[in-house]
Amino acid sequence: VIFITSVSIVGFIAVISIRSRMSSEISAFISQQQLIDAQEDMIRSKQDQAEHLSKWLPKEAWRRIIECNQKERKSVLQAMDEVLREKETLTTVLWTDIRGFTKATKSDPFFVKYAVNIQKHYTDSIANYFGISDVIADLVFSYFDLAPAAESFHNALLCAFDLTQKNTEFNKAVPVEQKIRRHVVVSFGMARVGNIGGSDGSRKITALGDCCN
C-alpha cells in the first residue's frame, strides 16, 4: 500500500510538473506571438508613414531618402534630414514655363486642366534624369546636384531635350489654339540646395544661387 501510495504521489507530482511546464511554454508562446504582432503593427505603421511622406516629396528626393534608409540603416525621418540638409554645391538648374499661360487660362478654362496634366509628365521626366523638381503654376523648376557635377549637367541637358520632345508630341494631339509654347532654360553654377526655408518640420526643397535667377 505504501509503495502504491508513493507511486501515486510521484505520478501526481510528475503530472503537476508537466502541466506547469506546458503552462509556462504556452505563456511564453503567447508572449512571443504578442511581440511578433506588435512588431508587425509597428512595421505596418512605418510603411504607412513612409507611403504618406512619399506623396509630399519629389520622386528623386524620395528615392535618395529610401536609398539612405536602406544603406545606412537610418529611419526614414533620419534619412530625410540627411538627404534634404541644406548644402552648397555645383548645381545644374533647369526651369521651363508656358508662354502666354495667364492669357490662355483666361480665354480657355480647359487649358488649365490640360497644362496641369502635362506638368505631371514633365516632373516624371525630371525624376528619371535624377533631378528634383518643384511646380509653381506653369513653372517647373528643378535642380540636378548629384556628383559628379558634369554628369548632372549632362543629365539636365538630356532632360531638356526630353521635355521639348514631349511638348512636341502633346501639341500634335490638340487644336492650334491649345498648342503649348514652352521655354526650357538650363543654367550651371554654385547654389545652395535642399530644405531651404522649411522650419518646424516643414519642407521647401529648392535651390538658391546666381545660376537659379
Side-chain angles (χ1 to χ4, degrees):
V1 175
I2 295 174
F3 175 75
I4 292 173
T5 302
S6 299
V7 170
S8 298
I9 293 172
V10 170
F12 179 71
I13 294 173
V15 169
I16 292 176
S17 177
I18 292 171
R19 286 184 176 178
S20 177
R21 187 166 62 251
M22 289 179 62
S23 177
S24 298
E25 290 175 352
I26 291 172
S27 297
F29 173 78
I30 292 173
S31 297
Q32 181 66 19
Q33 193 61 45
Q34 290 174 338
L35 178 61
I36 292 172
D37 291 342
Q39 290 174 337
E40 289 178 348
D41 288 342
M42 185 180 297
I43 291 171
R44 280 192 293 268
S45 176
K46 288 183 177 180
Q47 289 174 339
D48 290 343
Q49 181 188 50
E51 184 177 355
H52 178 73
L53 287 171
S54 69
K55 295 177 181 179
W56 293 93
L57 294 169
K59 287 185 177 180
E60 171 59 14
W62 183 247
R63 184 196 68 78
R64 297 183 193 182
I65 289 167
I66 293 301
E67 184 178 77
C68 179
N69 164 253
Q70 294 174 347
K71 285 186 176 181
E72 300 184 24
R73 302 290 184 179
K74 295 183 177 182
S75 70
V76 171
L77 293 179
Q78 288 172 334
M80 184 183 300
D81 288 337
E82 175 70 23
V83 170
L84 301 182
R85 184 176 295 122
E86 182 183 341
K87 64 180 179 181
E88 186 172 27
T89 184
L90 278 171
T91 306
T92 302
V93 174
L94 180 155
W95 63 93
T96 173
D97 64 350
I98 299 172
R99 297 178 63 183
F101 179 77
T102 303
K103 182 179 179 180
T105 56
K106 291 179 179 179
S107 60
D108 184 3
F110 171 78
F111 186 82
V112 176
K113 183 177 180 180
Y114 174 61
V116 168
N117 183 56
I118 290 177
Q119 303 288 65
K120 295 176 182 177
H121 291 281
Y122 290 155
T123 56
D124 285 344
S125 290
I126 290 167
N128 289 339
Y129 290 98
F130 309 105
I132 293 178
S133 60
D134 186 21
V135 177
I136 307 169
D138 65 310
L139 171 68
V140 180
F141 176 85
S142 58
Y143 67 87
F144 302 73
D145 64 323
L146 289 180
E151 187 173 327
S152 282
F153 181 72
H154 182 244
N155 285 338
L157 292 180
L158 292 176
C159 182
F161 178 76
D162 188 37
L163 296 184
T164 57
Q165 290 295 102
K166 275 185 169 56
N167 196 69
T168 300
E169 292 300 316
F170 288 137
N171 282 339
K172 289 179 181 179
V174 297
V176 174
E177 62 273 13
Q178 291 179 352
K179 292 185 184 297
I180 289 179
R181 294 181 300 163
R182 178 174 288 278
H183 288 116
V184 180
V185 179
V186 176
S187 181
F188 178 81
M190 294 298 296
R192 299 200 70 82
V193 301
N195 181 29
I196 299 174
S199 60
D200 298 329
S202 63
R203 307 287 171 185
K204 180 56 181 176
I205 307 167
T206 189
L208 295 175
D210 288 342
C211 63
C212 309
N213 299 326

